[in-house]
Amino acid sequence: MPTDPVGRFLAALDPDHRKVVGAKPQEEQERLAAAWERELESDDELDTLDELSPSAAEAEAARRVMEDRT
């Protein structure tokens, strides 16, 4: 499992979004990963979900970040 923010963000994305984000410049990937981390930290619903399933919380935060960007 990746430990860097970009790697963790890419792992949390669905395959289609992973491909799209993977094709973006590194700076854009880092910006999206930072937005993803902020989403994970700031949303109380995700805190609850994280207790039940950390990977589900990460996937939901990734979905939200990508939804906001499209």
Side-chain angles (χ1 to χ4, degrees), residues 23-49:
K24 293 186 179 294
Q26 183 66 27
E27 185 176 290
E28 178 68 6
Q29 290 180 24
E30 290 170 358
R31 190 182 66 73
L32 289 167
W36 172 72
E37 288 188 314
R38 284 190 302 275
E39 183 73 20
L40 281 170
E41 292 171 0
S42 67
D43 191 299
D44 292 338
E45 283 182 22
L46 291 176
D47 285 344
T48 302
L49 181 58

Side-chain angles (χ1 to χ4, degrees), residues 1 12 49-50 52-60:
M1 174 177 245
L49 181 58
D50 186 51
L52 300 172
S53 174
S55 61
E58 291 181 351
E60 175 60 17

Side-chain angles (χ1 to χ4, degrees), residues 7-14 18 36 55 57-63:
R8 289 180 51 234
F9 174 60
L10 288 172
L13 289 168
D14 64 75
R18 188 176 306 126
W36 172 72
S55 61
E58 291 181 351
E60 175 60 17
R63 185 194 64 75

